[in-house]
Amino acid sequence: MGLSLNIDVSASSFYEPILVTEFVQNYCRDLSHPLSDEVRLKVKKALKGIKVVLTHREYNNSHKITGISSQPMSQLMFTDDSATRMSVIQYFRERYNIALQFTSLPALVAGSEARPIYLPMELSRIVAGQRYAKRLNERQVIALLRATCQRPREREENIRMMARANAYNEDTLVNKEFGIQVADDLTSVDARILPAPMLKYHETGREASVNPGFGQWNMINKKMFNGGRVEVWTCVNFSTRLNRDVAFQFCQGLVDMCNSKGMVFNLRPVIPISSSNPNQIEKALVDVHNRTTQQGKQLQLLIIILPDVSGSYGRIKRVCETELGIVSQCCQPRQASRLNMQYFENVALKINVKVGGRNTVLVDAVQKRIPLVTDRPTIIFGADVTHPQPGEDSSPSIAAVVASMDWPEVAKYRGLVSAQAHHEEIIQDLYKSIQDPQRGFVHGGMIRELLIAFRRSTNFKPHRIIFYRDGVGERQFSQVLLHEMNAIRQACASLEEGYAPPVTFVVVQKRCRTRLFPAENNRCDLTDRSGNILPGTVVDTEICHPTEFDFYLNSHAAIQGTSRPTRYHVLYDENRFTADGLQVLTNNLCYTYARCTRSVSVVPPAYYAYLAAFRARYYIEDETSAGGSTDGNRSTAERNLAIRPLPVIKDNVKDVMFYC
């Protein structure tokens, strides 16, 4: 439709303009003693790059912090312009008549290495308006969401107010010099609403199928489509607030729920439910593994009640999945203590897929009525790359690829992860071939491994490939398409000469800036309960690309705030999907997400890939903090290809979706 102006409300976090000593108190309450090496390194990392101003001066020249001194100010000496050697404490006393109080703290370092500038923390104030680009903790995220969450009508009105306040048409440069007119109202676009798909549950339940309404449904009177089997299990409680009786009641309620939903779950744990010291997590996990092994049994599921203090989840997952080969289900102690039936049901959904079951499938998939998917064996991939948080310059990026393993239902996925160069967006390990000294020329890569797994699982080789690729910006479209399509082609050709199934390559952009509002806020048939547009809303004209194949899909019902549509951009389509065909397929897949009874905002293959990559980040971060080696089980050729290898995932958990 031509040029458009995108206006929206945005929020970010900023450093609080406080004294640096107040900032340091977040890491060390007692500032009268020297900082330990561990705390000093944390403070240095947190303060590096921040601008400060000195409170004892009249003018407000700012200094950018480059580090902190290794010595406390009471021992810190420097040479002034007159070549006189003096201490920092002496300098401020003689020059400014200031007696520094926190002399045991290190000094802030600014300037260059050749000419460092030492600044006392108690005289340095953080400059206001500096954006905090690092990862927020859980408490900060919740506070930010509460402060910025706006319902659609409120957000729309704020956007209109901004447009009126900016008064673009009254601007001399915009209007008179360039002749640009900006409309006063929001752009109206045509949209359509896709119907929700019918979902299939097990025939033994009182209701074998369900038609979701407003993007959600419940499992009352229903049983899982394929219930998993758990014969050997136990539970470890790391919470000091929950006694053994509560932990036992929780496990009993969870097992009863799993059995009522169609799983076959042994009522008795293989070893008694135990409580362990939260400071000895690894020892407790190894002990549970050894005790079950001594009985000649392989633990199928370990239920873990997490410690009361957060921060141990990553370590638990790393030990269970890369060292012991245990499928684990972590539970928050505050949730476990409530013995809530809804929570039991949600956890049962997760456990079922972890032990090989399927919660629900599409009726159209079972009846083979999905065009270009169920008529011939089709594999659906999801891929994503996650990058380390800002400031982590040495950590690698992690790529993850998942693929469906159960044609024609396309509800069960297997995932693989790989580490690659820092902030490398193109997935490097889709296909690789190496010359191994012992084995000769070896083919490998994630696409090849997943194609082989699909053949073993279904007894068919894929006749079609649908590839949902998450996390790609528009500037990288051509580069990613060229490299990754070539890798897919090579992986297929390495399996069989002439094997080249048609590929549909779709980029998923879940962080798009576009927001869609209902044309009439008061019409119940156009909005959900929160005032957002209905699940299944598709827009593929006017605000989309004029010549390429892309569309916006709002496939979910937002729980709070304004829903964010996901943009799907088809870069390559050998299967020749129609716009309707791909939009309906993508929307229907959003109802097959295994972790809840709601449709989700991002197509599940891409969602699972994101979760798998995020899980692998725990492996690396916890290994790094523990100082452990991560490449002991990999061959020399594999180590030479990897930037920093991920820990090897034990065989008996490799087919499990990587999420709690």
Side-chain angles (χ1 to χ4, degrees), residues 211-488:
N211 186 14
F214 293 98
Q216 57 186 330
W217 65 99
N218 61 59
M219 280 191 65
I220 298 174
N221 299 327
K222 303 174 188 66
K223 291 189 176 182
M224 298 158 178
F225 184 77
N226 291 126
R229 193 177 193 92
V230 179
E231 293 287 348
V232 184
W233 68 277
T234 190
C235 173
V236 178
N237 173 29
F238 289 111
S239 171
T240 57
R241 298 178 185 175
L242 267 66
N243 58 41
R244 187 181 181 280
D245 291 338
V246 176
F248 180 82
Q249 292 174 17
F250 170 75
C251 291
Q252 189 177 41
L254 181 58
V255 170
D256 290 343
M257 177 61 72
C258 290
N259 282 318
S260 70
K261 292 303 176 184
M263 293 183 65
V264 179
F265 209 116
N266 189 353
L267 297 177
R268 299 186 62 182
V270 62
I271 59 175
I273 296 169
S274 60
S275 296
S276 297
N277 189 337
N279 296 322
Q280 297 179 336
I281 288 175
E282 293 189 36
K283 181 179 180 297
L285 295 175
V286 171
D287 180 59
V288 168
H289 179 260
N290 291 339
R291 289 170 63 191
T292 54
T293 304
Q294 287 169 5
Q295 296 189 19
K297 297 180 180 180
Q298 172 62 45
L299 197 61
Q300 292 176 276
L301 177 69
L302 177 60
I303 300 170
I304 299 172
I305 300 177
L306 293 168
D308 302 310
V309 179
S310 62
S312 57
Y313 175 80
R315 188 185 320 153
I316 289 172
K317 288 299 181 181
R318 177 184 63 81
V319 173
C320 287
E321 293 168 3
T322 69
E323 295 182 13
L324 304 178
I326 296 175
V327 177
S328 59
Q329 175 60 54
C330 295
C331 304
Q332 292 287 352
R334 68 176 184 274
Q335 296 287 355
S337 63
R338 294 173 184 172
L339 305 177
N340 180 270
M341 298 302 289
Q342 182 63 54
Y343 182 68
F344 286 149
E345 185 176 292
N346 291 342
V347 176
L349 294 176
K350 299 177 183 181
I351 290 176
N352 188 49
V353 292
K354 289 184 178 185
V355 297
R358 289 179 294 185
N359 296 332
T360 185
V361 297
L362 299 170
V363 170
D364 285 347
V366 176
Q367 299 177 357
K368 295 190 174 183
R369 296 187 308 197
I370 302 178
L372 299 178
V373 174
T374 56
D375 57 331
R376 297 165 62 188
T378 302
I379 186 171
I380 301 180
F381 285 95
D384 193 14
V385 177
T386 64
H387 303 292
Q389 62 182 347
E392 293 288 345
D393 297 331
S394 60
S395 296
S397 294
I398 296 175
V401 180
V402 305
S404 58
M405 293 286 125
D406 61 338
W407 179 86
E409 289 85 3
V410 293
K412 181 188 288 188
Y413 291 82
R414 179 183 178 185
L416 297 172
V417 292
S418 174
Q420 59 188 42
H422 179 75
H423 272 280
E424 173 60 64
E425 184 56 54
I426 296 173
I427 302 177
Q428 301 297 310
D429 272 356
L430 289 182
Y431 171 77
K432 60 183 179 182
S433 57
I434 56 176
Q435 185 69 36
D436 188 88
Q438 285 79 34
R439 295 180 290 171
F441 197 68
V442 178
H443 299 283
M446 294 188 283
I447 294 292
R448 190 176 192 274
E449 293 296 321
L450 292 170
L451 289 172
I452 293 172
F454 181 90
R455 176 66 179 266
R456 290 173 178 167
S457 177
T458 64
N459 292 322
F460 295 104
K461 65 180 181 182
H463 292 198
R464 288 195 192 91
I465 293 175
I466 301 173
F467 195 90
Y468 286 102
R469 176 65 161 89
D470 196 1
V472 181
E474 289 191 22
R475 290 180 295 179
Q476 298 172 305
F477 277 2
S478 58
Q479 188 181 10
V480 169
L481 177 64
L482 179 65
H483 184 280
E484 297 186 3
M485 269 302 302
N486 183 55
I488 294 171

Side-chain angles (χ1 to χ4, degrees), residues 12 123 261 335 543 597:
S12 187
L123 301 180
K261 292 303 176 184
Q335 296 287 355
I543 58 173
T597 53

Side-chain angles (χ1 to χ4, degrees), residues 114-238:
R115 298 195 63 183
I117 301 172
Y118 298 111
L119 310 173
M121 290 185 179
E122 61 195 87
L123 301 180
S124 303
R125 181 178 294 275
I126 296 173
V127 176
Q130 296 182 80
R131 184 170 175 267
Y132 182 79
K134 299 174 184 177
R135 184 189 300 171
L136 300 176
N137 60 36
E138 184 179 355
R139 178 181 55 80
Q140 292 168 330
V141 169
I142 292 173
L144 182 64
L145 290 176
R146 285 176 177 169
T148 59
C149 184
Q150 295 178 328
R151 289 297 190 190
R153 182 179 295 186
E154 181 185 357
R155 188 175 191 134
E156 181 181 352
E157 183 56 35
N158 285 341
I159 292 172
R160 293 178 186 274
M161 289 173 57
M162 281 193 293
R164 289 194 295 266
N166 290 342
Y168 297 106
N169 292 334
E170 298 175 13
D171 188 279
T172 304
L173 188 64
V174 173
N175 194 355
K176 295 183 179 179
E177 296 294 332
F178 288 92
I180 296 175
Q181 294 284 325
V182 180
D184 294 330
D185 210 350
L186 273 67
T187 300
S188 295
V189 295
D190 292 329
R192 61 197 184 96
I193 301 172
L194 302 177
M198 289 291 292
L199 301 176
K200 178 77 171 174
Y201 282 92
H202 199 276
E203 298 290 349
T204 58
R206 276 188 269 173
E207 295 181 22
S209 60
V210 61
N211 186 14
F214 293 98
Q216 57 186 330
W217 65 99
N218 61 59
M219 280 191 65
I220 298 174
N221 299 327
K222 303 174 188 66
K223 291 189 176 182
M224 298 158 178
F225 184 77
N226 291 126
R229 193 177 193 92
V230 179
E231 293 287 348
V232 184
W233 68 277
T234 190
C235 173
V236 178
N237 173 29
F238 289 111

Side-chain angles (χ1 to χ4, degrees), residues 522-536:
N522 297 322
R523 286 185 55 178
C524 297
D525 59 330
L526 295 180
T527 62
D528 63 12
R529 298 167 193 168
S530 64
N532 279 290
I533 56 176
L534 292 172

